[in-house]
Amino acid sequence: EYLMTKEEFCYRLKELNLTQKDFANIAHIPYSTINNWGSMANGKIIPVPSWVRPFLEYYNKSKSFDILRHQIFKAISVEDIKK
């Protein structure tokens, strides 16, 4: 399985209008853990965990769904007002 690089992770966060601190809060992980991704420890790069990519994909879908749901409810309430 292909793991995200730290650069890809940061780019994806930017696309989603999230900071690393936002992501830490949403994912319930320490901010310091995120900061360690991509850095060297014992001669190896600490990878971005494999769950992060699907987590961000589902976050994006959820955000899109929330926007759509809001628009639908807004349209329904406008229709109710017109009746």
Side-chain angles (χ1 to χ4, degrees), residues 1 7 11 19 23 30 41 43 45 47 49 67 69:
E1 182 178 332
E7 291 75 24
Y11 180 79
T19 65
F23 181 80
I45 294 178
I67 291 167
R69 185 180 55 129

Side-chain angles (χ1 to χ4, degrees), residues 18 24 34 52 83:
L18 290 173
I34 295 170
V52 172
K83 289 182 181 179

Side-chain angles (χ1 to χ4, degrees), residues 3-83:
L3 295 176
M4 286 181 118
T5 65
K6 177 72 178 257
E7 291 75 24
E8 289 170 314
F9 170 71
C10 292
Y11 180 79
R12 190 68 180 120
L13 287 183
K14 197 170 200 170
E15 285 182 328
L16 295 170
N17 198 28
L18 290 173
T19 65
Q20 289 184 30
K21 286 190 179 191
D22 294 333
F23 181 80
N25 290 331
I26 293 166
H28 301 287
I29 57 173
Y31 176 70
S32 59
T33 298
I34 295 170
N35 271 339
N36 289 334
W37 296 345
S39 60
M40 294 290 280
N42 299 323
K44 294 182 180 178
I45 294 178
I46 299 171
V48 175
S50 60
W51 61 266
V52 172
R53 181 186 304 277
F55 185 96
L56 291 174
E57 288 171 8
Y58 286 116
Y59 174 83
N60 188 42
K61 286 179 184 180
S62 174
K63 200 167 120 182
S64 299
F65 175 76
D66 286 347
I67 291 167
L68 179 62
R69 185 180 55 129
H70 176 73
Q71 291 171 341
I72 290 170
F73 283 130
K74 190 174 174 183
I76 289 171
S77 40
V78 167
E79 288 300 315
D80 288 343
I81 293 169
K82 288 181 181 177
K83 289 182 181 179

